Structures are given as C-alpha cells and as structure tokens.
Amino acid sequence: MSQSTASSDWEIVIGLEVHVQLHTRAKVFASCGWGFGQEPNEQVDAVVLGLPGTLPVVNREAVERSILFGLVVGAEIPERCAWDRKNYFYPDNPKNYQLTQKDFPVVVGGKVEIELPGASRNVMGEHKWIRLHHAHLEEDVGKLSHAGGGSLVDYNRAGVPLLEIVTEPDLRSAAEAEAFLRSLVAMLTQAGVADCDMEKGQLRCDCNVSVRPRGATKLGTRTETKNLNSISGVRDTVIYESARQIRELQAGRAIVQETRGWNAEQGRGYVLRDKEDAHDYRYFPDPDIPTLLISRDTVQRLQQQVPENLYDRQRRYMEKLALPYTAASVLVAQRRLAEWFEEAVAAYPANPQGIANLIANDLLRDLAAGSAESSGEGVSTTPAKTVDDCPLKPAQLAALVKLTDEGLISKQQAKEVFAEMFKTGQDPMVIVEQKGLKQNSDTGELEKIVREVVADPAVAKSIAEYRAGNEKAINALKGPIMKRTQGKANPSLIDQLLRKILG
Ligand code: ADP
Ligand code: MG
C-alpha cells in the first residue's frame, strides 16, 4: 500500500454528540427547580438525591421541548419513547445510575442546514445538510471539584434535563463543525428549546474524529474527545486531533480507539481512557418509568410553535426584499429582531432595505450600547438591551423611513431623529416638528429664495458656466440657498427649481 504524505491526501470525518440543557423550570424527573449561580446543593430534593422510597415522574415540559427540537430539524417523533438505566458508580451520580434513553429515543433522524464561509454581497456561502442520527432525553449529573486533597460534590446540576443530539459522521472539517454548532444553537434558541449559554455549561460536546485516505469509503478508527464546552474548543480539537491521527498513520502506526480530553489552556488533547462499550454499563429498561406514549395531537400542537427556518428566512429576505447578505444575516440571527423587522416592513412595504439599514446599523448599535452601559457600575436606569425593551415600535421606525423617502427630512436628519425616538419612543413627526427639522417643501416660498440667489451677481460666473454646459456648476448655487433656508430646504426641490429658472 502506498503511503499518503500530504495532509490534503486525507479526509477528516467528524461526528458530534451535543448535550444541551433544556429550557425548563423543573428538573427532568423531579419537581425541584434549577438555575445557575445558586449555593451548592440548594437545588436538590429527595428524588434528585435518590433517597429510598422516591420515584421519578417525567417532566412534560422537558419532553415537549425535546419534541419541538425534533420538529425544528424535521425529525421523526416516534409513537413511544422509554428510559434506560446506565449503571456506573461515581459520586457525581447519587443513584449509581443515570436515566437515559438507549433504545427508544424521543427524536429519530432529522437534519440541520449549515452555511460555510465565503458569502458575498448578494450570494450566501455554500450550504450543506448534516444528518442527525437521533436525540435522546436524559438527566445531567452532579459536579465534582477536587481541591486541597479532597473532593467536593454539588448536586444542583444532577437531574437537569439534558437533550443529547447525535449527528451522523457527516462533518468534514473544523469549519463545518463550527458552522454546525452555530446553526444548532440558533435553532435551539429561536425555538425556545434551550438557551445554550456556554459560559454556564448549558451546551457541552463530545467530538468524534477519524481520518481516512481521500477517496476511501470505509471510515477510519475514531477517537472521542469528551466534554468540550465551547465552539472554539470543538474547532481546535478537530484541528489538533486530525493532525495527530494523520501523523500517526504516516508513521505507520494504527489509531487506537480511545476516549480523550482537551486542555484548552495548553491547546492540546490527552488520553483519558480506552473506549468503554455499551455493555460495560449494564443498561436495562428503567422499571420505574412506564413507556411514554406521544400522542399525535401533542405533536401537531407543537408543530405550530416551529419558527421559520433561519436560512429560509434569510433567502426570503434576499430574494423577495432584495436585502444584501450582511443585513439579512444580521436580522435572521435573532428571531425577535427578524419579527420586529417584518412588523416594520408590514407598516411600510415600499423600502425594506431602508428599514433593514436603520435596524442593522443604528438600532443594534444603540441596543449594544445599552447592554454595555447596564453591565457597568453605578447605573441607575436600565437601558434597552433587546428590541422588546426599547420604547421604539416597528411602525414608528417605518414612519421614519417613509418621511425620509418623501424627502421631508434628509438621511442625516433621520439618524438624529432615530436617536431621539430610540430614547423616548416618540413618533418621528413629533420630533421633526419639535426640532424644526422639517425640510422646506413649500415651492412658492422656496422659489422666491431661489430667484433672489440667482439674481445675486456673486453667482453670475457659475450660472454662465452651467449654461455653457458644465452641469456641476449648478452646485455652487445650492449652498447659498440652503444657508438662507437654514438647511431646511428639500435638496431635490432646490435642484428642480434651479433647473427650471436657469432654463
Ligand atoms: P458511541 O455511542 O459508542 O459513542 P456511536 O456509534 O453512537 O458511538 O457514535 C457516536 C458518534 O460518533 C456519532 O456522532 C457518530 O457520527 C460518530 N462516529 C462514529 N464513527 C465515526 C468515525 N469513524 N469517525 C468519526 N465519527 C464517527
Ligand atoms: Mg459517545
């Protein structure tokens, strides 16, 4: 067999197992609540601690969020799902088993659309579909910390609903893995399934990587790097691990199928243990939780909650509303922002681009400033951080764009009015009048001023040049007219009048 030498002779294959904490009030088999930043072991109860005599009860909200996810990715929702016990002894797990779904998961199949880098002004980047194998609903486990020669355990996280989403080995590069996770996070958050706050550990990934000679059909031996808690961690793991495997194979050594960890500070992976097999865990059906039947009524009801697919929305904005790529992708990244934009367009359908521009530039800038301000110290008022807590309403933004389009105010003045609207929530016309910004569109009065300026000997030279065919010479007359109207004259009207008077 000939040895491949260049890394481009190798194909990288990646499959991800993504663990997401679901957005629910209670834990998955107990009524006990959960949340971030509590004192250790405050959010536990007898069920979570596995005390004798307690029994689990399935949280309907957690099941419905899981089904909703399945519908978002176009998966099959089987008629029934069931839970199994994964048995192992470790102090993160008070019952000595974890409740998970091995054979009958709540979600089967499905696919996620991803976008690769390379978009231009009017064209999206390359798109690909990544197939999902399934998603199952399990319970999170407690957290151990090892310090000062001892170990501490916190069961606040134990029993938090965790949806494990397993992909087919369809991803082919670090960039694809990154794009997949971004799409997945957008879909989960936009549907209200999960918040995916990675800083709070709400999304963790196991990353399976193998390599094979380009053109080979059989998959190579993979390793699994556990517990990555950021998108960059997954990206770096793929880069590191694929390079390591290629080096090993090029040196004539075989890849060992093993479970690995990732040291983000050092930017390197390390061996944790040999790969464990399913039979090591002695899985068996949990006798305490009956098989769950999922009615088609429930599925239909949840289907109504599925938001428009992110990229369908983006294509619609680009094709039907002629938005450029960047504005469209900024708007669709947040569901509420997109809906807000659409409400504004409904109020004034003539200029979606003008509306999108004000949102993508001015509105988002002021919202971001609000977030920065409120996280600083000594701030008494709470500035707006999302479109829903700013006083400005979509129809008012639409009205502002309309005023500009009608030439009543200039684009520059519109920005000034916007800043005021953002703070006070007043109608644009009220602000225009208060500030005396209204451009003068009264032809009679304006015509008088134009005639006076034209009669001034100081501009005679420019007029002669214009009449001799120098189009641009007319601009020299506009300054004095603007000055005499204190900048309130409508520029296109001045232009029209000048041309009429000068003939
Ligand atoms: P296990 O449950 O033992 O970890 P699975 O067969 O369920 O193994 O696969 C888990 C993940 O590993 C899936 O995302 C799958 O796509 C991925 N995977 C399986 N084989 C390979 C391979 N050869 N290379 C890369 N990823 C793989
Ligand atoms: Mg696994």
Side-chain angles (χ1 to χ4, degrees), residues 301-331:
R301 173 169 53 78
L302 290 166
Q303 186 71 52
Q304 311 301 316
Q305 293 176 27
V306 174
E308 182 179 16
N309 172 293
L310 173 77
Y311 294 117
D312 287 345
R313 185 171 247 160
Q314 184 166 359
R315 276 183 283 266
R316 188 160 61 77
Y317 288 1
M318 292 176 69
E319 287 161 18
K320 301 248 160 64
L321 306 179
L323 296 195
Y325 174 84
T326 349
S329 52
V330 165
L331 291 176

PDB file of all heavy atoms in Angstrom, residues 301-331:
ATOM      1  N   ARG A 301     -49.778  20.026  17.890  1.00  0.00           N
ATOM      2  CA  ARG A 301     -49.810  21.295  18.629  1.00  0.00           C
ATOM      3  C   ARG A 301     -48.410  21.917  18.631  1.00  0.00           C
ATOM      4  O   ARG A 301     -48.249  23.117  18.397  1.00  0.00           O
ATOM      5  CB  ARG A 301     -50.286  21.044  20.067  1.00  0.00           C
ATOM      6  CG  ARG A 301     -50.200  22.276  20.955  1.00  0.00           C
ATOM      7  CD  ARG A 301     -50.924  22.081  22.283  1.00  0.00           C
ATOM      8  NE  ARG A 301     -50.508  20.879  23.020  1.00  0.00           N
ATOM      9  CZ  ARG A 301     -49.382  20.807  23.729  1.00  0.00           C
ATOM     10  NH1 ARG A 301     -48.556  21.830  23.777  1.00  0.00           N
ATOM     11  NH2 ARG A 301     -49.065  19.692  24.358  1.00  0.00           N
ATOM     12  N   LEU A 302     -47.390  21.097  18.875  1.00  0.00           N
ATOM     13  CA  LEU A 302     -46.020  21.626  18.931  1.00  0.00           C
ATOM     14  C   LEU A 302     -45.546  22.080  17.558  1.00  0.00           C
ATOM     15  O   LEU A 302     -44.746  23.005  17.433  1.00  0.00           O
ATOM     16  CB  LEU A 302     -45.079  20.583  19.529  1.00  0.00           C
ATOM     17  CG  LEU A 302     -45.323  20.348  21.020  1.00  0.00           C
ATOM     18  CD1 LEU A 302     -44.620  19.090  21.494  1.00  0.00           C
ATOM     19  CD2 LEU A 302     -44.863  21.549  21.841  1.00  0.00           C
ATOM     20  N   GLN A 303     -46.062  21.425  16.523  1.00  0.00           N
ATOM     21  CA  GLN A 303     -45.683  21.810  15.163  1.00  0.00           C
ATOM     22  C   GLN A 303     -45.997  23.295  14.901  1.00  0.00           C
ATOM     23  O   GLN A 303     -45.268  23.979  14.186  1.00  0.00           O
ATOM     24  CB  GLN A 303     -46.425  20.909  14.153  1.00  0.00           C
ATOM     25  CG  GLN A 303     -46.017  21.117  12.703  1.00  0.00           C
ATOM     26  CD  GLN A 303     -44.608  20.599  12.393  1.00  0.00           C
ATOM     27  OE1 GLN A 303     -44.289  19.453  12.685  1.00  0.00           O
ATOM     28  NE2 GLN A 303     -43.765  21.461  11.841  1.00  0.00           N
ATOM     29  N   GLN A 304     -47.076  23.780  15.535  1.00  0.00           N
ATOM     30  CA  GLN A 304     -47.457  25.190  15.367  1.00  0.00           C
ATOM     31  C   GLN A 304     -46.401  26.139  15.924  1.00  0.00           C
ATOM     32  O   GLN A 304     -46.352  27.308  15.560  1.00  0.00           O
ATOM     33  CB  GLN A 304     -48.789  25.502  16.084  1.00  0.00           C
ATOM     34  CG  GLN A 304     -49.926  24.543  15.807  1.00  0.00           C
ATOM     35  CD  GLN A 304     -50.264  24.487  14.341  1.00  0.00           C
ATOM     36  OE1 GLN A 304     -50.345  25.523  13.689  1.00  0.00           O
ATOM     37  NE2 GLN A 304     -50.420  23.284  13.808  1.00  0.00           N
ATOM     38  N   GLN A 305     -45.600  25.636  16.862  1.00  0.00           N
ATOM     39  CA  GLN A 305     -44.606  26.509  17.508  1.00  0.00           C
ATOM     40  C   GLN A 305     -43.273  26.549  16.769  1.00  0.00           C
ATOM     41  O   GLN A 305     -42.356  27.251  17.185  1.00  0.00           O
ATOM     42  CB  GLN A 305     -44.347  26.026  18.939  1.00  0.00           C
ATOM     43  CG  GLN A 305     -45.520  26.184  19.863  1.00  0.00           C
ATOM     44  CD  GLN A 305     -45.228  25.598  21.229  1.00  0.00           C
ATOM     45  OE1 GLN A 305     -44.077  25.521  21.664  1.00  0.00           O
ATOM     46  NE2 GLN A 305     -46.265  25.167  21.923  1.00  0.00           N
ATOM     47  N   VAL A 306     -43.155  25.756  15.697  1.00  0.00           N
ATOM     48  CA  VAL A 306     -41.882  25.712  14.982  1.00  0.00           C
ATOM     49  C   VAL A 306     -41.688  27.019  14.205  1.00  0.00           C
ATOM     50  O   VAL A 306     -42.520  27.372  13.377  1.00  0.00           O
ATOM     51  CB  VAL A 306     -41.839  24.517  13.999  1.00  0.00           C
ATOM     52  CG1 VAL A 306     -40.578  24.551  13.148  1.00  0.00           C
ATOM     53  CG2 VAL A 306     -41.939  23.208  14.777  1.00  0.00           C
ATOM     54  N   PRO A 307     -40.626  27.767  14.500  1.00  0.00           N
ATOM     55  CA  PRO A 307     -40.420  29.018  13.763  1.00  0.00           C
ATOM     56  C   PRO A 307     -39.907  28.745  12.359  1.00  0.00           C
ATOM     57  O   PRO A 307     -39.451  27.644  12.067  1.00  0.00           O
ATOM     58  CB  PRO A 307     -39.364  29.753  14.586  1.00  0.00           C
ATOM     59  CG  PRO A 307     -38.658  28.710  15.382  1.00  0.00           C
ATOM     60  CD  PRO A 307     -39.573  27.520  15.498  1.00  0.00           C
ATOM     61  N   GLU A 308     -39.986  29.763  11.507  1.00  0.00           N
ATOM     62  CA  GLU A 308     -39.464  29.636  10.144  1.00  0.00           C
ATOM     63  C   GLU A 308     -37.975  29.325  10.218  1.00  0.00           C
ATOM     64  O   GLU A 308     -37.245  29.914  11.020  1.00  0.00           O
ATOM     65  CB  GLU A 308     -39.676  30.951   9.390  1.00  0.00           C
ATOM     66  CG  GLU A 308     -39.211  30.900   7.943  1.00  0.00           C
ATOM     67  CD  GLU A 308     -39.463  32.225   7.221  1.00  0.00           C
ATOM     68  OE1 GLU A 308     -39.704  33.249   7.881  1.00  0.00           O
ATOM     69  OE2 GLU A 308     -39.406  32.223   5.973  1.00  0.00           O
ATOM     70  N   ASN A 309     -37.526  28.388   9.387  1.00  0.00           N
ATOM     71  CA  ASN A 309     -36.109  28.047   9.355  1.00  0.00           C
ATOM     72  C   ASN A 309     -35.279  29.295   9.059  1.00  0.00           C
ATOM     73  O   ASN A 309     -35.596  30.090   8.187  1.00  0.00           O
ATOM     74  CB  ASN A 309     -35.878  26.966   8.289  1.00  0.00           C
ATOM     75  CG  ASN A 309     -34.406  26.698   8.047  1.00  0.00           C
ATOM     76  OD1 ASN A 309     -33.668  27.543   7.541  1.00  0.00           O
ATOM     77  ND2 ASN A 309     -33.969  25.525   8.417  1.00  0.00           N
ATOM     78  N   LEU A 310     -34.213  29.412   9.846  1.00  0.00           N
ATOM     79  CA  LEU A 310     -33.292  30.546   9.755  1.00  0.00           C
ATOM     80  C   LEU A 310     -32.876  30.872   8.324  1.00  0.00           C
ATOM     81  O   LEU A 310     -32.945  32.027   7.884  1.00  0.00           O
ATOM     82  CB  LEU A 310     -32.082  30.120  10.579  1.00  0.00           C
ATOM     83  CG  LEU A 310     -30.811  30.895  10.657  1.00  0.00           C
ATOM     84  CD1 LEU A 310     -31.032  32.062  11.584  1.00  0.00           C
ATOM     85  CD2 LEU A 310     -29.718  30.000  11.216  1.00  0.00           C
ATOM     86  N   TYR A 311     -32.455  29.858   7.567  1.00  0.00           N
ATOM     87  CA  TYR A 311     -31.929  30.119   6.229  1.00  0.00           C
ATOM     88  C   TYR A 311     -33.045  30.324   5.217  1.00  0.00           C
ATOM     89  O   TYR A 311     -32.862  31.035   4.226  1.00  0.00           O
ATOM     90  CB  TYR A 311     -30.981  28.997   5.793  1.00  0.00           C
ATOM     91  CG  TYR A 311     -29.737  28.953   6.643  1.00  0.00           C
ATOM     92  CD1 TYR A 311     -29.433  27.848   7.425  1.00  0.00           C
ATOM     93  CD2 TYR A 311     -28.880  30.047   6.690  1.00  0.00           C
ATOM     94  CE1 TYR A 311     -28.303  27.820   8.217  1.00  0.00           C
ATOM     95  CE2 TYR A 311     -27.754  30.036   7.487  1.00  0.00           C
ATOM     96  CZ  TYR A 311     -27.464  28.919   8.245  1.00  0.00           C
ATOM     97  OH  TYR A 311     -26.353  28.906   9.034  1.00  0.00           O
ATOM     98  N   ASP A 312     -34.228  29.715   5.448  1.00  0.00           N
ATOM     99  CA  ASP A 312     -35.370  30.005   4.580  1.00  0.00           C
ATOM    100  C   ASP A 312     -35.704  31.482   4.698  1.00  0.00           C
ATOM    101  O   ASP A 312     -35.991  32.166   3.722  1.00  0.00           O
ATOM    102  CB  ASP A 312     -36.591  29.177   5.004  1.00  0.00           C
ATOM    103  CG  ASP A 312     -36.425  27.720   4.628  1.00  0.00           C
ATOM    104  OD1 ASP A 312     -35.527  27.429   3.803  1.00  0.00           O
ATOM    105  OD2 ASP A 312     -37.174  26.877   5.165  1.00  0.00           O
ATOM    106  N   ARG A 313     -35.677  31.961   5.939  1.00  0.00           N
ATOM    107  CA  ARG A 313     -35.978  33.358   6.189  1.00  0.00           C
ATOM    108  C   ARG A 313     -34.953  34.258   5.491  1.00  0.00           C
ATOM    109  O   ARG A 313     -35.294  35.232   4.839  1.00  0.00           O
ATOM    110  CB  ARG A 313     -35.959  33.586   7.694  1.00  0.00           C
ATOM    111  CG  ARG A 313     -36.379  34.970   8.102  1.00  0.00           C
ATOM    112  CD  ARG A 313     -36.544  35.033   9.606  1.00  0.00           C
ATOM    113  NE  ARG A 313     -37.940  35.240   9.936  1.00  0.00           N
ATOM    114  CZ  ARG A 313     -38.488  34.977  11.124  1.00  0.00           C
ATOM    115  NH1 ARG A 313     -37.764  34.448  12.074  1.00  0.00           N
ATOM    116  NH2 ARG A 313     -39.747  35.214  11.351  1.00  0.00           N
ATOM    117  N   GLN A 314     -33.692  33.870   5.623  1.00  0.00           N
ATOM    118  CA  GLN A 314     -32.633  34.680   5.013  1.00  0.00           C
ATOM    119  C   GLN A 314     -32.781  34.721   3.487  1.00  0.00           C
ATOM    120  O   GLN A 314     -32.651  35.782   2.878  1.00  0.00           O
ATOM    121  CB  GLN A 314     -31.254  34.132   5.396  1.00  0.00           C
ATOM    122  CG  GLN A 314     -30.136  35.013   4.864  1.00  0.00           C
ATOM    123  CD  GLN A 314     -28.800  34.703   5.493  1.00  0.00           C
ATOM    124  OE1 GLN A 314     -28.695  33.827   6.357  1.00  0.00           O
ATOM    125  NE2 GLN A 314     -27.781  35.413   5.085  1.00  0.00           N
ATOM    126  N   ARG A 315     -33.062  33.563   2.877  1.00  0.00           N
ATOM    127  CA  ARG A 315     -33.262  33.521   1.423  1.00  0.00           C
ATOM    128  C   ARG A 315     -34.435  34.422   1.029  1.00  0.00           C
ATOM    129  O   ARG A 315     -34.383  35.147   0.048  1.00  0.00           O
ATOM    130  CB  ARG A 315     -33.538  32.080   0.971  1.00  0.00           C
ATOM    131  CG  ARG A 315     -32.261  31.267   0.741  1.00  0.00           C
ATOM    132  CD  ARG A 315     -32.589  29.870   0.220  1.00  0.00           C
ATOM    133  NE  ARG A 315     -33.063  28.998   1.284  1.00  0.00           N
ATOM    134  CZ  ARG A 315     -32.264  28.177   1.985  1.00  0.00           C
ATOM    135  NH1 ARG A 315     -30.985  28.102   1.732  1.00  0.00           N
ATOM    136  NH2 ARG A 315     -32.756  27.426   2.944  1.00  0.00           N
ATOM    137  N   ARG A 316     -35.495  34.369   1.837  1.00  0.00           N
ATOM    138  CA  ARG A 316     -36.674  35.185   1.551  1.00  0.00           C
ATOM    139  C   ARG A 316     -36.300  36.679   1.588  1.00  0.00           C
ATOM    140  O   ARG A 316     -36.684  37.444   0.691  1.00  0.00           O
ATOM    141  CB  ARG A 316     -37.755  34.860   2.589  1.00  0.00           C
ATOM    142  CG  ARG A 316     -39.101  35.474   2.328  1.00  0.00           C
ATOM    143  CD  ARG A 316     -40.205  34.731   3.087  1.00  0.00           C
ATOM    144  NE  ARG A 316     -40.047  34.751   4.541  1.00  0.00           N
ATOM    145  CZ  ARG A 316     -40.328  35.803   5.312  1.00  0.00           C
ATOM    146  NH1 ARG A 316     -40.749  36.923   4.788  1.00  0.00           N
ATOM    147  NH2 ARG A 316     -40.165  35.730   6.628  1.00  0.00           N
ATOM    148  N   TYR A 317     -35.550  37.076   2.585  1.00  0.00           N
ATOM    149  CA  TYR A 317     -35.163  38.494   2.697  1.00  0.00           C
ATOM    150  C   TYR A 317     -34.313  38.921   1.503  1.00  0.00           C
ATOM    151  O   TYR A 317     -34.447  40.028   1.010  1.00  0.00           O
ATOM    152  CB  TYR A 317     -34.373  38.750   3.983  1.00  0.00           C
ATOM    153  CG  TYR A 317     -35.199  38.706   5.254  1.00  0.00           C
ATOM    154  CD1 TYR A 317     -36.561  38.433   5.218  1.00  0.00           C
ATOM    155  CD2 TYR A 317     -34.604  38.935   6.498  1.00  0.00           C
ATOM    156  CE1 TYR A 317     -37.308  38.379   6.376  1.00  0.00           C
ATOM    157  CE2 TYR A 317     -35.352  38.903   7.673  1.00  0.00           C
ATOM    158  CZ  TYR A 317     -36.702  38.611   7.605  1.00  0.00           C
ATOM    159  OH  TYR A 317     -37.435  38.560   8.755  1.00  0.00           O
ATOM    160  N   MET A 318     -33.416  38.030   1.072  1.00  0.00           N
ATOM    161  CA  MET A 318     -32.521  38.396  -0.023  1.00  0.00           C
ATOM    162  C   MET A 318     -33.256  38.387  -1.365  1.00  0.00           C
ATOM    163  O   MET A 318     -33.067  39.269  -2.192  1.00  0.00           O
ATOM    164  CB  MET A 318     -31.310  37.464  -0.062  1.00  0.00           C
ATOM    165  CG  MET A 318     -30.388  37.672   1.148  1.00  0.00           C
ATOM    166  SD  MET A 318     -28.989  36.519   1.219  1.00  0.00           S
ATOM    167  CE  MET A 318     -28.011  37.059  -0.178  1.00  0.00           C
ATOM    168  N   GLU A 319     -34.126  37.382  -1.560  1.00  0.00           N
ATOM    169  CA  GLU A 319     -34.778  37.249  -2.863  1.00  0.00           C
ATOM    170  C   GLU A 319     -36.007  38.146  -3.000  1.00  0.00           C
ATOM    171  O   GLU A 319     -36.170  38.836  -3.999  1.00  0.00           O
ATOM    172  CB  GLU A 319     -35.158  35.783  -3.118  1.00  0.00           C
ATOM    173  CG  GLU A 319     -33.929  34.931  -3.425  1.00  0.00           C
ATOM    174  CD  GLU A 319     -34.177  33.444  -3.241  1.00  0.00           C
ATOM    175  OE1 GLU A 319     -35.357  33.027  -3.201  1.00  0.00           O
ATOM    176  OE2 GLU A 319     -33.181  32.692  -3.129  1.00  0.00           O
ATOM    177  N   LYS A 320     -36.858  38.152  -1.990  1.00  0.00           N
ATOM    178  CA  LYS A 320     -38.119  38.893  -2.116  1.00  0.00           C
ATOM    179  C   LYS A 320     -37.967  40.354  -1.714  1.00  0.00           C
ATOM    180  O   LYS A 320     -38.632  41.220  -2.243  1.00  0.00           O
ATOM    181  CB  LYS A 320     -39.210  38.238  -1.246  1.00  0.00           C
ATOM    182  CG  LYS A 320     -39.487  36.792  -1.616  1.00  0.00           C
ATOM    183  CD  LYS A 320     -40.873  36.624  -2.231  1.00  0.00           C
ATOM    184  CE  LYS A 320     -40.993  35.348  -3.043  1.00  0.00           C
ATOM    185  NZ  LYS A 320     -40.830  34.141  -2.214  1.00  0.00           N
ATOM    186  N   LEU A 321     -37.109  40.626  -0.724  1.00  0.00           N
ATOM    187  CA  LEU A 321     -37.000  42.005  -0.237  1.00  0.00           C
ATOM    188  C   LEU A 321     -35.710  42.677  -0.690  1.00  0.00           C
ATOM    189  O   LEU A 321     -35.439  43.814  -0.317  1.00  0.00           O
ATOM    190  CB  LEU A 321     -37.096  42.037   1.302  1.00  0.00           C
ATOM    191  CG  LEU A 321     -38.331  41.358   1.903  1.00  0.00           C
ATOM    192  CD1 LEU A 321     -38.298  41.429   3.424  1.00  0.00           C
ATOM    193  CD2 LEU A 321     -39.612  42.011   1.393  1.00  0.00           C
ATOM    194  N   ALA A 322     -34.904  41.944  -1.462  1.00  0.00           N
ATOM    195  CA  ALA A 322     -33.662  42.489  -2.035  1.00  0.00           C
ATOM    196  C   ALA A 322     -32.701  43.031  -0.979  1.00  0.00           C
ATOM    197  O   ALA A 322     -32.010  44.021  -1.204  1.00  0.00           O
ATOM    198  CB  ALA A 322     -33.982  43.559  -3.081  1.00  0.00           C
ATOM    199  N   LEU A 323     -32.651  42.372   0.184  1.00  0.00           N
ATOM    200  CA  LEU A 323     -31.674  42.804   1.191  1.00  0.00           C
ATOM    201  C   LEU A 323     -30.307  42.232   0.840  1.00  0.00           C
ATOM    202  O   LEU A 323     -30.217  41.110   0.344  1.00  0.00           O
ATOM    203  CB  LEU A 323     -32.054  42.290   2.583  1.00  0.00           C
ATOM    204  CG  LEU A 323     -33.341  42.780   3.217  1.00  0.00           C
ATOM    205  CD1 LEU A 323     -33.327  42.450   4.715  1.00  0.00           C
ATOM    206  CD2 LEU A 323     -33.534  44.274   3.032  1.00  0.00           C
ATOM    207  N   PRO A 324     -29.238  42.984   1.104  1.00  0.00           N
ATOM    208  CA  PRO A 324     -27.907  42.405   0.913  1.00  0.00           C
ATOM    209  C   PRO A 324     -27.638  41.319   1.959  1.00  0.00           C
ATOM    210  O   PRO A 324     -28.295  41.277   3.006  1.00  0.00           O
ATOM    211  CB  PRO A 324     -26.961  43.590   1.097  1.00  0.00           C
ATOM    212  CG  PRO A 324     -27.751  44.635   1.791  1.00  0.00           C
ATOM    213  CD  PRO A 324     -29.205  44.365   1.547  1.00  0.00           C
ATOM    214  N   TYR A 325     -26.668  40.458   1.680  1.00  0.00           N
ATOM    215  CA  TYR A 325     -26.367  39.317   2.552  1.00  0.00           C
ATOM    216  C   TYR A 325     -26.163  39.713   4.013  1.00  0.00           C
ATOM    217  O   TYR A 325     -26.748  39.130   4.916  1.00  0.00           O
ATOM    218  CB  TYR A 325     -25.121  38.584   2.034  1.00  0.00           C
ATOM    219  CG  TYR A 325     -24.659  37.479   2.954  1.00  0.00           C
ATOM    220  CD1 TYR A 325     -25.222  36.218   2.878  1.00  0.00           C
ATOM    221  CD2 TYR A 325     -23.688  37.715   3.925  1.00  0.00           C
ATOM    222  CE1 TYR A 325     -24.836  35.215   3.746  1.00  0.00           C
ATOM    223  CE2 TYR A 325     -23.296  36.710   4.797  1.00  0.00           C
ATOM    224  CZ  TYR A 325     -23.873  35.463   4.705  1.00  0.00           C
ATOM    225  OH  TYR A 325     -23.493  34.486   5.563  1.00  0.00           O
ATOM    226  N   THR A 326     -25.314  40.707   4.243  1.00  0.00           N
ATOM    227  CA  THR A 326     -24.968  41.042   5.642  1.00  0.00           C
ATOM    228  C   THR A 326     -26.185  41.485   6.427  1.00  0.00           C
ATOM    229  O   THR A 326     -26.400  40.991   7.545  1.00  0.00           O
ATOM    230  CB  THR A 326     -23.928  42.182   5.708  1.00  0.00           C
ATOM    231  OG1 THR A 326     -23.415  42.399   4.413  1.00  0.00           O
ATOM    232  CG2 THR A 326     -22.823  41.860   6.656  1.00  0.00           C
ATOM    233  N   ALA A 327     -26.982  42.387   5.877  1.00  0.00           N
ATOM    234  CA  ALA A 327     -28.160  42.860   6.605  1.00  0.00           C
ATOM    235  C   ALA A 327     -29.096  41.687   6.875  1.00  0.00           C
ATOM    236  O   ALA A 327     -29.599  41.520   7.991  1.00  0.00           O
ATOM    237  CB  ALA A 327     -28.874  43.940   5.813  1.00  0.00           C
ATOM    238  N   ALA A 328     -29.313  40.834   5.876  1.00  0.00           N
ATOM    239  CA  ALA A 328     -30.215  39.689   6.047  1.00  0.00           C
ATOM    240  C   ALA A 328     -29.696  38.750   7.130  1.00  0.00           C
ATOM    241  O   ALA A 328     -30.450  38.294   7.989  1.00  0.00           O
ATOM    242  CB  ALA A 328     -30.377  38.941   4.727  1.00  0.00           C
ATOM    243  N   SER A 329     -28.393  38.488   7.137  1.00  0.00           N
ATOM    244  CA  SER A 329     -27.899  37.529   8.137  1.00  0.00           C
ATOM    245  C   SER A 329     -27.915  38.125   9.535  1.00  0.00           C
ATOM    246  O   SER A 329     -28.143  37.410  10.505  1.00  0.00           O
ATOM    247  CB  SER A 329     -26.520  36.983   7.762  1.00  0.00           C
ATOM    248  OG  SER A 329     -25.644  38.020   7.497  1.00  0.00           O
ATOM    249  N   VAL A 330     -27.714  39.431   9.637  1.00  0.00           N
ATOM    250  CA  VAL A 330     -27.811  40.071  10.958  1.00  0.00           C
ATOM    251  C   VAL A 330     -29.245  39.963  11.485  1.00  0.00           C
ATOM    252  O   VAL A 330     -29.471  39.632  12.645  1.00  0.00           O
ATOM    253  CB  VAL A 330     -27.375  41.558  10.875  1.00  0.00           C
ATOM    254  CG1 VAL A 330     -27.796  42.323  12.115  1.00  0.00           C
ATOM    255  CG2 VAL A 330     -25.874  41.662  10.679  1.00  0.00           C
ATOM    256  N   LEU A 331     -30.215  40.213  10.623  1.00  0.00           N
ATOM    257  CA  LEU A 331     -31.616  40.187  11.065  1.00  0.00           C
ATOM    258  C   LEU A 331     -32.075  38.789  11.468  1.00  0.00           C
ATOM    259  O   LEU A 331     -32.746  38.618  12.481  1.00  0.00           O
ATOM    260  CB  LEU A 331     -32.531  40.725   9.961  1.00  0.00           C
ATOM    261  CG  LEU A 331     -32.404  42.218   9.656  1.00  0.00           C
ATOM    262  CD1 LEU A 331     -33.295  42.592   8.481  1.00  0.00           C
ATOM    263  CD2 LEU A 331     -32.785  43.052  10.879  1.00  0.00           C
TER     264      LEU A 331
END
